[in-house]
């Protein structure tokens, strides 16, 4: 399953409550073999400051529509995700 921009996914929180998110982007890192996605809450209002969440993910072998999400724990991973996010924002803003 290749996640698409603006695709919506449901992510449960630590209490099991499900929340709807919109996929901003996904990317793969060849060096590590990991895949990442950045999402924002789907119900966020246009004029609100956007809170972006990022996860490392793996597609389930038996069902490509199922993903396993993992928190990003290391500072190196966070820096890499932030760099990609800033690059995409700069490109979108024409910089």
């Amino acid at each position: 399953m290749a996640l698409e921009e603006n695709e919506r996914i449901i992510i449960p929180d630590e209490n099991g409550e499900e929340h709807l998110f919109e996929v901003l982007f996904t990317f793969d890192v060849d060096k590590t073999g990991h895949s990442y996605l950045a999402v924002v809450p789907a119900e966020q209002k246009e004029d609100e400051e956007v809170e972006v969440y990022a996860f490392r993910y793996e597609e389930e072998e038996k069902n490509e529509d199922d993903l396993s999400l993992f928190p990003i724990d290391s500072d190196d991973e966070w820096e890499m995700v932030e760099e990609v996010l800033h690059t995409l924002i700069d490109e979108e803003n024409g910089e």
Side-chain angles (χ1 to χ4, degrees):
M1 168 186 174
L3 289 171
E4 302 290 330
E5 268 186 53
N6 300 325
E7 183 172 347
R8 291 180 173 211
I9 61 173
I10 294 172
I11 302 174
D13 63 18
E14 60 276 354
N15 299 321
E17 290 184 45
E18 295 182 341
H19 301 276
L20 186 62
F21 289 86
E22 189 169 300
V23 177
L24 288 179
F25 64 90
T26 63
F27 67 98
D28 299 318
V29 178
D30 294 334
K31 185 173 136 181
T32 64
H34 292 148
S35 299
Y36 298 88
L37 77 140
V39 297
V40 293
E43 302 305 318
Q44 193 159 283
K45 293 184 174 48
E46 290 279 331
D47 57 347
E48 288 182 341
E49 186 174 316
V50 176
E51 186 164 0
V52 177
Y53 298 89
F55 299 93
R56 183 171 51 84
Y57 76 93
E58 295 175 4
E59 294 179 355
E60 296 294 326
E61 288 182 25
K62 294 180 181 177
N63 184 354
E64 290 182 353
D65 289 336
D66 285 342
L67 299 175
S68 293
L69 298 179
F70 303 94
I72 298 174
D73 294 325
S74 78
D75 290 340
D76 289 341
E77 276 185 304
W78 268 118
E79 288 173 14
M80 178 186 51
V81 170
E82 285 180 336
E83 185 176 320
V84 170
L85 179 59
H86 290 298
T87 300
L88 292 173
I89 290 171
D90 290 346
E91 288 175 4
E92 191 173 288
N93 292 333
E95 293 179 15

